[in-house]
Amino acid sequence: FLHPPPSWDVEETLKRLQSQKRVQVIMVVNTEGIPIKSTMDNPTTTQYANLMHNFILKAWSTVREIDPQNDLTFLQIRSKKNEIMIAPDKNYFLIVIQDPTE
Amino acid sequence: MATRAQPRQLYPAGSAGAEALATGGAASAEGPGRSGPLQDETLGVASVPSQWRGVQGIRRETKSCQTARIATAEAAAQTWKHVDAEVQTEAPVPVGVLPASQYDGPRLAAFLRRVEAMVIRELNKNWQSHAFDGFEVNWTEQQPTVTCLHTLGYPPAQGQGLHVTSVSWNTTGSVVACAYGRLDDGDWSTLKSFVCAWNLDRRGLNPQQPSAVVEVPSAVMCLAFHPTQPSHVAGGLYSGEVLVWDMSHPEDPLLWRTGLTDDTHTDPVYQVVWLPEPRHSHRFQVLSAATDGKVLLWQGLGAGQLQLTDGFALVVQQLPRNTKLRKPPRGETEVGATAVAFSSFDPSLFVLGTEGGFPLKCSLAAEEAALTRRPSSVPLRAPAQLIFSPHGGPIYSVSCSPFHRNLFLSAGTDGHIHLYSMLQAQPLASLQLSHKYLFAVRWSPVRPLVFAAASGEGDVQLFDLQKSSQKPTVSIKQTQNESPVYCLEFNHQQTQLLAAGDAEGTVKVWQLSTEFTEQGPRETEDLEQLAAEVAT
């Protein structure tokens, strides 16, 4: 009954996310596109961060333009080889890449 | 009008008489009173005007003319702003590493806390979902079959019965060059041959007329385009020389040559490869492998001379002893190298195919000195680290996989393809593709499980290990009379193109069907699985 409370530490949370089924990459990026945390090497992380950043801002502005009362809550890009999931926020973006195919 | 002079005797000199004499005619006319029988008379002049001839005078009129006034005007012009600009491509700069940035700990933790549950929920939904099962999207035109796009040839070379010994695509993927020579037995060291290049992107491409032709005094055995310069190409000759040409200068294409020095190969050069220089990675040097057992590295100096900078020699006594080999014939200590392939993952690791039929795993960093008899300006080293189980005959081609660091293919005269892993001497798989020789094998640059092989029976065979590991998926007939296909190369920029050259002297550019150019979702993993079948 006495479960230890889930640790709200940054590292612990990222580790929990990484251990989900078939997750390949976890990345946290700030609103300027600068990577904060990543499970990949630096050059690849920077490349991903730059590419994702523009895309996320475009999606966010699209949603707001269609309905200014609306907001972007989640973004998913499905490709032949994997799925990219993005949870956006005022200050940070969390990017998770998963391989959902069997 | 005649004045009749007085014919009388001279008057005595007296003034009267002289006066009368002087005015003879007139006085006589005046004094007509004295008439006599023989008197001279002077009559007046009788003139008859001409009735038909007018007085010829010069008729004159005065006129003058002058050009109109020339209008002139003065104006001055001068550029008053002047800007100099220079344009030059720069060698690509290696990407630097960014430092880790500072972040606000508590805020980040709060953010992650907020989104964690939602993300985990979506992740779970995803791998359980069947929403996208069997859903495929096609972004490009689907090509169902393999078609021949171009059939290129150079009639003077074909007329001489020359074979296409090697093809190469340039760095931009728009130019294909081929080397003409002879691959059958004979002494071709003074056979005049050619290197031809066709620019496939040019309008009005004439398949029988190359965009650039270079005449070479000896048969050319191999060709390789420079990795960054679109017009530089290196070739190895039957005489053992290595030459570098610039195809954009047809009048004077030769850039560098080794010449026939003590360092030059003494046997035909079967493969040339461009390698980055050890200290300046944007400059390149040429590596050549020949059947005299030497693998040499050359660098171009200013005077058009290729200088030997480093080299390796294969000597039987120095081969690694991990596999039993047939005893070499007496007296022969050199091991002829016939093919070279560099690993895409480790730039100092390369595989050599040999005349003895066994591939060798070698390293540029090997340190042991080679026991060569002939002196050379640069000390040669023994490069071999591991020897693999041999084919039934000499190897003509090796190719390292661009997707897996341990896998490579070799093809030889026994008609078999061997798939080796660098970790063990026995091949992982041995496939018989032909009853005649196999001349070339290349991995596909986009599909990890696909490779192509050129056979002596005149066809190009495409193998897809995902579909079948026993027989080729597609067998393309290149020549009509079963004359061999000697070389083939994939185009790394336009990955649906494959060029193959044959003994008829033609180069055919094949467009592959989409199944050969689009990666399936799990191919890299399947390749890993294949490589992992290493016998323990």
Side-chain angles (χ1 to χ4, degrees):
Chain A
F1 263 80
L2 287 173
H3 300 284
S7 160
W8 295 122
D9 184 44
V10 168
E11 297 299 331
E12 297 278 332
T13 317
L14 290 177
K15 243 194 286 243
R16 266 201 301 277
L17 287 168
Q18 178 80 39
S19 65
Q20 294 300 308
K21 204 155 177 185
R22 289 209 273 271
V23 167
Q24 289 171 343
V25 172
I26 305 259
M27 245 168 61
V28 180
V29 175
N30 76 356
T31 45
E32 281 148 28
I34 301 173
I36 310 264
K37 286 267 174 208
S38 170
T39 58
M40 278 192 306
D41 58 280
N42 233 326
T44 326
T45 304
T46 323
Q47 184 194 27
Y48 271 58
N50 282 332
L51 294 169
M52 288 294 139
H53 174 64
N54 292 332
F55 188 76
I56 299 167
L57 290 181
K58 188 73 186 171
W60 181 82
S61 64
T62 307
V63 168
R64 298 277 293 193
E65 220 170 286
I66 294 176
D67 179 0
Q69 303 302 316
N70 206 351
D71 241 329
L72 180 71
T73 50
F74 201 70
L75 194 52
Q76 269 174 282
I77 306 174
R78 183 149 189 135
S79 71
K80 196 161 67 173
K81 296 188 189 174
N82 52 27
E83 176 136 1
I84 305 171
M85 280 179 261
I86 303 165
D89 183 75
K90 188 170 55 143
N91 304 311
Y92 303 102
F93 303 132
L94 171 67
I95 301 170
V96 180
I97 303 185
Q98 185 193 35
D99 174 16
T101 58
E102 193 56 38
Chain B
M1 132 181 118
T3 308
R4 289 174 84 193
Q6 308 249 3
R8 278 226 226 149
Q9 65 266 27
L10 284 168
Y11 285 131
S15 55
E19 201 184 336
L21 201 63
T23 61
S28 302
E30 230 179 78
R34 279 205 303 172
S35 59
L38 290 170
Q39 287 285 339
D40 286 310
E41 282 182 36
T42 313
L43 297 173
V45 174
S47 67
V48 180
S50 161
Q51 288 191 329
W52 60 274
R53 194 193 281 183
V55 172
Q56 277 191 330
I58 300 172
R59 237 190 11 234
R60 253 179 270 166
E61 268 182 50
T62 308
K63 277 222 186 302
S64 71
C65 70
Q66 187 176 335
T67 52
R69 250 183 112 66
I70 298 170
T72 54
E74 272 185 35
Q78 187 177 340
T79 50
W80 53 283
K81 223 188 215 175
H82 187 68
V83 176
D84 267 327
E86 280 181 357
V87 176
Q88 186 179 333
T89 50
E90 278 182 10
V93 175
V95 176
V97 174
L98 286 182
S101 57
Q102 298 302 314
Y103 63 91
D104 185 356
R107 228 176 332 150
L108 182 59
F111 160 66
L112 286 176
R113 198 180 315 153
R114 265 201 308 279
V115 296
E116 184 190 358
M118 166 174 66
V119 173
I120 291 185
R121 203 175 50 235
E122 292 297 329
L123 284 169
N124 285 332
K125 259 204 288 183
N126 234 2
W127 69 264
Q128 289 164 355
S129 143
H130 291 281
F132 290 97
D133 279 0
F135 177 67
E136 268 175 38
V137 176
N138 288 321
W139 281 94
T140 54
E141 274 286 324
Q142 295 294 300
Q143 262 274 353
T145 50
V146 176
T147 47
C148 181
L149 270 188
H150 304 279
T151 305
L152 309 166
Y154 186 50
Q158 290 167 318
Q160 282 178 37
L162 292 177
H163 306 159
V164 176
T165 55
S166 181
V167 282
S168 181
W169 292 94
N170 79 340
T171 175
T172 60
S174 55
V175 175
V176 61
C178 78
Y180 279 102
R182 293 288 289 263
L183 278 178
D184 42 358
D185 292 325
D187 181 17
W188 310 117
S189 49
T190 52
L191 177 74
K192 265 187 97 59
S193 50
F194 307 92
V195 172
C196 303
W198 286 265
N199 187 335
L200 300 179
D201 287 345
R202 214 176 262 183
R203 274 180 308 181
L205 166 73
N206 181 352
Q208 305 300 316
Q209 202 180 342
S211 10
V213 179
V214 176
E215 272 189 28
V216 187
S218 171
V220 186
M221 311 302 291
C222 54
L223 211 61
F225 261 107
H226 194 282
T228 54
Q229 287 276 4
S231 58
H232 290 189
V233 61
L237 304 190
Y238 191 91
S239 57
E241 271 198 81
V242 174
L243 271 58
V244 179
W245 298 281
D246 183 351
M247 302 300 274
S248 60
H249 293 127
E251 336 75 44
D252 183 19
L254 189 61
L255 276 179
W256 291 298
R257 64 186 310 165
T258 53
L260 289 167
T261 63
D262 285 335
D263 291 331
T264 321
H265 290 287
T266 50
D267 276 349
V269 177
Y270 276 102
Q271 189 137 11
V272 282
V273 176
W274 288 93
L275 287 182
E277 277 178 30
R279 270 173 297 278
H280 310 269
S281 60
H282 58 275
R283 288 215 298 255
F284 291 85
Q285 49 185 355
V286 181
L287 176 136
S288 61
T291 42
D292 60 356
K294 293 203 278 201
V295 174
L296 301 176
L297 280 156
W298 308 89
Q299 223 167 76
L301 293 185
Q305 172 75 20
L306 272 180
Q307 187 81 12
L308 181 66
T309 54
D310 203 354
F312 302 91
L314 294 172
V315 176
V316 166
Q317 292 90 332
Q318 288 179 301
L319 290 178
R321 291 256 168 273
N322 56 300
T323 307
K324 252 166 65 89
L325 281 184
R326 284 192 301 274
K327 266 178 101 70
R330 277 195 163 278
E332 246 179 56
T333 54
E334 291 136 4
V335 179
T338 51
V340 177
F342 272 79
S343 164
S344 342
F345 292 85
D346 181 353
S348 66
L349 179 64
F350 63 100
V351 176
L352 279 179
T354 60
E355 278 182 319
F358 44 88
L360 287 170
K361 173 176 156 187
C362 306
S363 169
L364 288 176
E367 293 186 342
E368 187 189 348
L371 307 166
T372 44
R373 281 173 298 190
R374 274 190 306 274
S376 129
S377 62
V378 167
L380 300 177
R381 294 173 277 154
Q385 294 176 333
L386 189 65
I387 194 170
F388 296 92
S389 179
H391 280 252
I395 294 181
Y396 272 149
S397 182
V398 284
S399 178
C400 286
S401 170
F403 291 95
H404 197 288
R405 60 183 323 120
N406 286 340
L407 294 178
F408 69 92
L409 287 168
S410 65
T413 57
D414 57 351
H416 281 73
I417 294 261
H418 285 193
L419 173 66
Y420 288 97
S421 162
M422 299 273 192
L423 306 173
Q424 71 173 32
Q426 290 297 322
L428 292 176
S430 170
L431 306 160
Q432 171 154 30
L433 260 59
S434 166
H435 294 288
K436 290 198 187 169
Y437 295 2
L438 285 176
F439 289 98
V441 67
R442 289 284 179 265
W443 284 102
S444 161
V446 285
R447 296 260 338 257
L449 292 165
V450 168
F451 62 87
S455 84
E457 285 160 349
D459 37 40
V460 173
Q461 299 193 3
L462 284 161
F463 247 86
D464 185 347
L465 292 172
Q466 199 173 44
K467 294 227 175 93
S468 157
S469 55
Q470 302 304 321
K471 56 182 189 59
T473 317
V474 174
S475 181
I476 311 169
K477 211 166 160 55
Q478 168 135 344
T479 56
Q480 296 310 313
N481 53 357
E482 296 207 357
S483 53
V485 178
Y486 283 132
C487 49
L488 53 80
E489 285 291 344
F490 282 95
N491 185 336
H492 288 251
Q493 309 303 346
Q494 300 182 47
T495 51
Q496 77 280 17
L497 297 182
L498 170 66
D502 56 36
E504 305 278 305
T506 39
V507 174
K508 290 201 177 170
V509 178
W510 299 96
Q511 181 171 41
L512 301 176
S513 47
T514 330
E515 57 176 340
F516 289 110
T517 51
E518 287 186 358
Q519 253 189 50
R522 296 199 57 83
E523 278 199 45
T524 328
E525 285 79 12
D526 288 342
L527 189 70
E528 294 272 340
Q529 218 170 4
L530 193 60
E533 292 165 14
V534 171
T536 44

